[in-house]
Each structure stands twice: as structure tokens, then as C-alpha cells.
Amino acid sequence: MDPVRTLVVWCPDWPVTAAVRDADGELPEHLPIAVLDAGTVYACSEPARAEGVRRGQRRRDAQAACPELVVVPYDPVRDVRVFDPVVDAVADVAAGVEVLRPGVCATAARGPAGHVGGEAAAAERIVDRIAESCAVEAQVGVADGMFGAVLAARAGVLVEPGRTPAFLAGLDVRVLGRPELVGLLRRLGIRTLGAFAALPPGDVLARFGFDAALAHRLAGGLDERLLAPRSLPPDLTVSAEYDPPVERVDTAAFTARTLAEELHELLLRHATGCTRLTITAVTGHAEELTRTWRHDGVLGPAEVADRVRWQLEGWLTGARRPTAGIQTLRLVPEGLVAHAGFQRRLWGDTGEDADRAHRSMTRVQGLLGPEQVFTAVPSGGRTEGDRIRPVPWGDERIPTLPVDAPWPGHLPVPVPVPVAAAAPPVHAVVRAADGAAVGVTGRHEITAPPATVATGTAAPVEVVRWAGPWPVEERWWSAGESRRLARIQVVLADTRTLLLALEAGHWRVEATYD
Amino acid sequence: MDGGPADRGTGRGPVPAHLVRSGGVRAGSALRDGVDRLLPVHGELRSLLPEGGLRRGATVSVAAATGGMSLLFALLGAASSGGEWCAMAGVPEVGVLSAAEYGVVPERFALVPYPGPEWWTVVAALLDGFGLVVARPAGPVSPVLARRLAARTRQRGAVLLVHGDWPGADVAMRCSDPVWEGLDAGRGRLRRRALTIEATGRGAAARPRSTRVLLPSGRTGPGSVAPLPAAAPEVTVPEGFGAADEAVG
């Protein structure tokens, strides 16, 4: 699938702009301003940058570089709240606006370009509209795919259709925004996106993992959708009703976290991840507020929680706050992709080990074929073979039959190891002391105590101790599927301990106690 | 400032004896390594391993005698319950239920039943991603190949557990004298097994160690390997006790 022609609106140094706009004229724009998060510079204004203030600098260093620096604390909610009118302004020109993060939003380029007359005209119209309704400076970029469009917006260029890979090729790998991967690539001597994109995709996945494969696609100007987008399974929307309605910001924050975890669990169960999230809130007066957030990569539970919290706080504290509290909150995951790569939880990150294991299994699947690598799911059943269901690695882990049913006739602990399902059955000859073949009567009684057991083609071995028989009758109501067998445990003189089954007059080794 | 001969003496003198005993004179990083580099095993197996656990990077072989598979699962159990990922290559019989009794978590247990003629490439790939890898070699293993896989194991900080013979294993274990309890001449059922485990090896493991335990003990999880009761009484089965209703339920 070709990447969608995307138009991105970028407001430079948004945290600073938001702080200035929020201060209502008390913070003159021409001063050097820095927004600080946890003691380091999160964003700074152009005059501050000219004085040598940089992102990530400590407060003291920043103030040493620029003594007259005005310092403002970082506030993610302020960023969202001030950005909301900007998104509305863009929505006046184009439909289906998605927020990437405060300060950046995107839309499909085709719509506005069509009715305004060209992408350049559409870009101009959007910049004008933002300037007149919010008095905010914005830049617009157009390219094929979201990743290219964001970089085009930062450069303020319209990349012609089909020229996106060439536009990206010259850029530094650092724009990928994955510090660990970028460090690795730079040490390997790969400094531009073009050089990274030239690597074979299979090798990138095998060597660097799922996230790097995603980055590799982005670098090549391809769409971020690594795997085929899944058709929407039944309904993955999570929603919550609030009585009394949520009006306070701290309640909203708490709500956001539980709902995010719920959504994450639901997506995990369907083995999907979402790349977009639509948040809908309905107030007590039936006002409906909706905003779509987009993320490059799969949204984890913490990312979902943050976005819901910001959005709710933005709505509840914004200039156009609803007239009543929020009664219903709905999270709709969109842009679903099937993935098993990094599944993180909000509490306790077990993702790295899982990612490593997954990568190594992918490699073994590459060596042997996908069906050669299994995990096993405990399943319901009576025989040892039924009680475990091998599932190819990466498939859904669903038991064939419920495990927690009683299953009368199954063996208690210790459980033996069943013979391999794929191997031919190992026949056994069970004889009594007088040499007669041992059988089991219709009343589940053994005809004679077993004295020797010969398995396969081996010589008979003396039975030291034995127990049984235990009958298993399954599906006697169905002619084709009915099964009737009797099982005994034998300890042999050569220390082997076996579970033998008699079915249709023949003994075979069903499992071994090793 | 000069502290005088007396001060210098205490400063440079021999390390106090109690510090040496406790192993306290080490670099901070080495201390952290000691904690992180040891994977736990069930209580009764600790005495078989020189460090009381599976050291990351070690190669452990378990002879393919009766009880070998159970011992391997028991060695995986504690680490798997603690969150480690385990893989098993070359073992076609899927004993996951049996493994689960010893505490192996099926969700984090991968199986490659038929790794093919070049099984070592599969084992090498598994060592990259899994904390513990069980391998059953298809045929005898040359010392060169064993050294190469052992080096890979060391470098990746994994533990390679081999079912069969392995030249140059750090710890080599063997089970013997299995005695099942719980059944007799048609009565009762298999309940637990007394087993002698011997361990030798290289370096710190060179001194032979041996223990007799119940494996399996009839319980699951950490209790699946239990000490032998002092008097080791045979489980007596009451006369006339029905075999079928005893086990079926």
C-alpha cells in the first residue's frame, strides 16, 4: 500500500508558545524564554536559542548562557489546552484532523488540496486561518506518509509525490528519535536515513528487533504500518459512565489511568496494538467532544493514559469548557496492527525479555519454518496428549477444551511425559507370568497381573510393580468419535516407568515417567 | 598530611579476617554481578551446585538416565517462575504439563521439537534470546562444538542445560537408584520417587556432591523436590483399597 499523502501542521517551540499565550500578555514573546521540566530545559524560544540555550540543558547552565532567561515550568495540560483552538482552526479547512502531540497535527492532504486548489494553496489557507483565529505561527509540510510529512513540516517544504524517499535519504538518522538505535547505527557508520534504508529489511528485523524494523520502514519513506492492518475485530471500544459526572481535573486523571489499562488489556487479548486513539466525552448536557490522537509506533498503556489525561484536563480547564461535567468517556482504538513484539504493561516493564525471546524465536522460525516452533497451552482432557495443546509461536494461546472442568479419569500429579504426537506409536506386549497376553475385561478388571512388558522390538522386561487399570470412556454417545481405553502404570526392572494404554485390543506406550 | 607510621600501618595492613570470610572486599560491580548472575533453583537442588544456584553463562549436563528429564524441569522451575524465559530444543515429547509441575510457566516456555541436523545453529539462536535453554543433541558432540556453544552461552549470560553427555560441562549431573513409592501389585498409584543425584564438574564444582531427594515429590511448585523423610517409610496401601477409585477423581 502506498503511503497516504499527508499534510502536517507544526507550530515551532509549542511549549513556549503555549506558555506565552496562556500568560495573556504578561510574558512578552521577544524575551528569551525556556520551559523547564524536572530541572532541565524542555523547550526554548528563538531568542533564547540564539543565546545558547539548548534542549536538555540544566537550569543553571541555561541561566549561565543567558542571564536574562525567563523560566516557565512545563505543563502538559497547558500545551493541550492552548493547542485545542489551533486544531479547531485546521479543522475549519480540513476534515479528520489528528493530533500527534501538542503543537503538531496532521490530516490527509487530498481533501483540502482538492477544494482549495492545490496543496500549496491549502497550506497557505491553513497557516492564514491559524494566524487569524489564534494568532499563532505555524508551518505546514506535505509528503507521502506521516513520518515524511512531519519532517517536511519542520523544514517547511512541500515534497512532491514520490520524492519522499529522496527527501528523507539526506537527513540524519537522529530524526528517528530512538536514541538507542540511533547510537548503534552511528557506531556502525550509518549516519543518514538513506544509508539505513539501504539495509535489507529482514536483517534489520532479525538483528535489531521489531521497533527498529518499524524505524527502517519509516526511513525508506514507507508507511509506518509494518504488518497488515487488522480488520476491526468485534468492538474494542472501552467506555466508562460517571455518576456523578467528572468535573474535577484530579478525578479525570485517575479515571484516565484505569481506562487506559483496561483498553490495553483488551488489545492484548486480541494480540493487536493501536497507533491512533479517539477520545470521546459526552457531558451531562449531551455535548459531545471528540479528539483523535496519533502516535508513531504502538501506543502503550502509559501513552494512552497520558493522552486521555491531557485531553480531559484540556477540555475541563479550557476556554470553551463544557457546560456540565463529563458523564460518558469512550476510548476507540484505531489504526490497529497485529503485533507480538513489545507488549508493555503500565506497572512493571517485562517487555525487554519478551522482545529478546521473540526476536530469537523469529530467527529460529526463519531457519526451520514457522510451524516448527511451539509453545504449549494447558488444555482440558483425559489423556496426556489431550491435556496439552502445542501452538505455533506467535499464534493465539487458546486451549482446545476448558482446563478447569473436572475431567474424570485424568491422572493426578505426578504427570508423565506423553510420547511425541508426531512419532509412530510404540506398541507393547504385556504378558502374565504364564505367558498369556494380559487384557482388560468389559467390567474394567485386568485378566491377570502383568509380569513382563516388551516395548517396540525390544526383549521383554520384568515388571517390578504395577497399578491399574483405570478406564477412560469418551464420547460413547457418538459412533465415530467414541473412545474406550484402559491404562496401567508399570515400573520395569530396567528402571523405566511407563503408562501403558490398551485400546482396541492393543497395548501401547502412552507416556513415560522420566 | 602525614598520618605517622602507626596510622599507615592500620591503613595498609592485612584485610580484617571477618571481611575476607564474608567476601566483603570486592569491587561494587562484582557484588552486583554475584546477585544478578545467579538464577535460583529449588531448595533441595542448591546443595548440588557450587554457588547454590545456576550461574549465568554456565553449561550443565544431565545424563539421559531415568529421572533426567524430571531433573531438568526441576532445574528450570524456580527461574521460570521468577520470570525467566526458557526454551527446549531437540526434545520431541512435549512434557509441558510435567514441566509445569516443577514451576515452569508454559507462557514463557518455547519448544523446538525437531531442530534438524544442524541443531547447534538453533541452540545458538535460542541462547541469544532465552535465559535458560535445554538441548538434547542429536548424536555425539565434538569438543570443538561444545566449546563454541559454551562460549556463546557465557557471552550471552544464558544457562545451557544439556540432556545427554557434554564434553567440558561446568556441572555434570546424573540420576540413579530410582525407587517409586505408592503402588504395588495392582494397588495404589505412582506418587513419588526417591532418586540419588550426583554432580561433578570443573572448577568450583570439581568436588563430587551427591544427594538423595524425592523427585517428583507429589507436590507442585517449590515443593516438587523434597528432602527424603528421615525414616523413608514406604507408603503402605491398606488391604482391599480399590485401585481405580484411588486414582480416578
Side-chain angles (χ1 to χ4, degrees):
Chain A
M1 191 170 68
D2 283 338
V4 180
R5 201 81 189 131
T6 309
L7 184 150
V8 166
V9 180
W10 182 59
C11 304
D13 304 325
W14 182 255
V16 176
T17 315
V20 170
R21 305 255 324 130
D22 205 42
D24 263 336
E26 281 170 33
L27 195 61
E29 225 169 315
H30 62 270
L31 291 181
I33 304 166
V35 175
L36 259 74
D37 183 23
T40 58
V41 175
Y42 181 73
C44 62
S45 66
E46 196 52 57
R49 199 170 304 134
E51 297 281 344
V53 179
R54 291 287 174 272
R55 205 191 148 145
Q57 235 170 13
R58 283 182 312 165
R59 182 197 191 110
R60 195 182 305 165
D61 296 338
Q63 280 172 335
C66 174
E68 62 272 28
L69 188 70
V70 180
V71 168
V72 189
Y74 171 60
D75 178 359
V77 177
R78 178 183 61 210
D79 286 3
V80 177
R81 189 178 60 227
V82 181
F83 193 56
D84 240 33
V86 177
V87 180
D88 288 337
V90 179
D92 288 346
V93 183
V97 183
E98 295 167 356
V99 181
L100 274 73
R101 59 173 182 272
V104 186
C105 63
T107 177
R110 225 182 70 183
H115 75 83
V116 176
E119 284 167 355
E124 206 170 307
R125 175 77 69 87
I126 288 171
V127 172
D128 287 354
R129 183 91 192 104
I130 294 173
E132 73 194 41
S133 74
C134 322
V136 166
E137 237 180 88
Q139 272 173 244
V140 170
V142 181
D144 303 331
M146 187 64 70
F147 179 69
V150 171
L151 293 173
R154 296 180 72 155
V157 295
L158 308 183
V159 182
E160 279 170 41
R163 299 283 306 151
T164 304
F167 165 69
L168 292 175
L171 297 177
D172 193 291
V173 279
R174 268 184 279 221
V175 299
L176 286 169
R178 292 163 168 84
E180 218 171 288
L181 175 69
V182 167
L184 198 57
L185 290 175
R186 290 182 66 85
R187 268 178 285 146
L188 291 172
I190 296 166
R191 284 165 194 283
T192 63
L193 289 184
F196 182 38
L199 299 176
D203 291 353
V204 172
L205 176 64
R207 188 69 186 80
F208 303 116
F210 184 78
D211 192 47
L214 202 83
H216 181 255
R217 280 186 67 89
L218 294 177
L222 295 167
D223 217 16
E224 62 268 39
R225 269 170 285 218
L226 179 69
L227 303 164
R230 286 183 80 114
S231 56
L232 201 65
D235 188 11
L236 295 177
T237 305
V238 293
S239 64
E241 302 275 336
Y242 301 109
D243 187 21
V246 177
E247 281 176 346
R248 286 186 23 205
V249 168
D250 50 348
T251 333
F254 180 72
T255 317
R257 208 161 54 195
T258 46
L259 213 55
E261 188 74 339
E262 199 181 312
L263 177 72
H264 184 68
E265 288 295 322
L266 189 67
L267 289 174
L268 269 188
R269 275 208 296 282
H270 286 84
T272 56
C274 72
T275 54
R276 273 175 295 156
L277 176 76
T278 297
I279 306 165
T280 304
V282 182
T283 68
H285 292 165
E287 296 155 285
E288 192 168 308
L289 307 162
T290 297
R291 185 69 79 216
T292 301
W293 284 80
R294 187 182 179 111
H295 187 60
D296 52 300
V298 176
L299 282 158
E303 281 107 41
V304 171
D306 276 349
R307 276 155 188 77
V308 177
R309 182 168 58 90
W310 296 341
Q311 192 61 60
L312 284 181
E313 294 192 16
W315 281 330
L316 290 174
T317 57
R320 286 183 290 165
R321 60 171 299 167
T323 53
I326 292 168
Q327 211 163 40
T328 311
L329 185 63
R330 260 198 311 274
L331 302 186
V332 188
E334 287 170 35
L336 296 177
V337 288
H339 83 100
F342 40 31
Q343 297 180 341
R344 280 173 297 155
R345 287 171 193 284
L346 191 53
W347 311 118
D349 196 341
T350 56
E352 201 179 313
D353 279 358
D355 202 20
R356 261 181 60 200
H358 188 75
R359 214 181 301 159
S360 128
M361 286 319 260
T362 313
R363 178 155 154 63
V364 177
Q365 281 181 321
L367 286 170
L368 301 174
E371 68 287 353
Q372 286 297 326
V373 180
F374 292 93
T375 60
V377 187
S379 183
R382 293 181 178 83
T383 63
E384 304 320 311
D386 288 347
R387 284 177 65 191
I388 202 78
R389 176 172 177 261
V391 183
W393 184 267
D395 273 18
E396 276 183 286
R397 301 175 49 87
I398 307 171
T400 355
L401 291 163
V403 191
D404 42 5
W407 298 113
H410 81 262
L411 290 170
V413 174
V415 183
V417 177
V419 295
V426 181
H427 293 291
V429 179
V430 184
R431 291 189 190 283
D434 59 2
V438 172
V440 174
T441 68
R443 302 178 75 90
H444 305 308
E445 281 166 348
I446 202 148
T447 54
T452 63
V453 170
T455 57
T457 54
V461 182
E462 196 190 330
V463 173
V464 182
R465 286 190 277 185
W466 66 281
W470 298 289
V472 172
E473 289 197 41
E474 284 191 312
R475 302 187 163 265
W476 44 264
W477 56 86
S478 159
E481 298 173 58
S482 70
R483 244 181 124 186
R484 215 183 124 98
L485 52 106
R487 299 189 288 183
I488 59 170
Q489 291 174 331
V490 290
V491 180
L492 302 181
D494 60 1
T495 75
R496 277 186 302 159
T497 305
L498 306 174
L499 180 72
L500 301 177
L502 177 68
E503 193 171 7
H506 294 287
W507 288 100
R508 64 182 159 76
V509 179
E510 184 163 289
T512 58
Y513 291 86
D514 187 3
Chain B
M1 193 178 114
D2 198 333
D7 283 1
R8 195 176 290 159
T10 51
R12 299 266 172 89
V15 178
H18 67 275
L19 273 182
V20 175
R21 245 197 334 273
S22 71
V25 193
R26 280 184 291 182
S29 61
L31 277 172
R32 201 194 129 274
D33 282 357
V35 177
D36 264 355
R37 298 193 62 80
L38 214 57
L39 293 172
V41 294
H42 291 318
E44 290 305 309
L45 300 174
R46 270 179 219 145
S47 62
L48 290 168
L49 296 158
E51 284 142 317
L54 292 168
R55 185 172 46 78
R56 285 185 191 273
T59 310
V60 178
S61 77
V62 173
T66 296
M69 257 350 264
S70 298
L71 176 57
L72 278 171
F73 289 151
L75 285 169
L76 296 181
S80 175
S81 305
E84 282 295 322
W85 287 69
C86 307
M88 187 160 80
V91 185
E93 61 274 10
V94 183
V96 175
L97 277 184
S98 181
E101 263 173 33
Y102 295 100
V104 177
V105 181
E107 283 81 4
R108 290 193 294 271
F109 191 32
L111 303 155
V112 188
Y114 301 100
E118 297 203 341
W119 56 271
W120 54 87
T121 53
V122 171
V123 171
L126 292 175
L127 286 170
D128 286 352
F130 290 82
L132 298 119
V133 177
V134 178
R136 184 190 286 169
V141 182
S142 73
V144 177
L145 181 59
R147 262 203 305 279
R148 206 181 299 157
L149 279 178
R152 180 86 162 214
T153 310
R154 230 181 349 265
Q155 186 209 344
R156 295 289 170 188
V159 177
L160 177 63
L161 300 139
V162 182
H163 189 225
D165 295 325
W166 191 261
D170 292 313
V171 181
M173 296 192 182
R174 172 174 288 279
C175 303
S176 56
D177 298 330
V179 177
W180 277 99
E181 296 176 6
L183 84 172
D184 194 19
R187 292 195 301 270
R189 63 173 175 86
L190 296 172
R191 284 178 181 278
R192 51 192 198 176
R193 174 177 60 189
L195 198 63
T196 302
I197 308 170
E198 290 156 44
T200 56
R202 305 189 310 160
R207 183 172 67 84
R209 293 151 194 261
S210 155
T211 180
R212 190 158 176 84
V213 292
L214 290 175
L215 179 99
S217 72
R219 276 172 292 164
T220 56
S224 55
V225 189
L228 220 54
E234 287 282 300
V235 176
T236 49
V237 182
E239 201 56 42
F241 201 76
D245 53 28
E246 162 71 357
V248 174

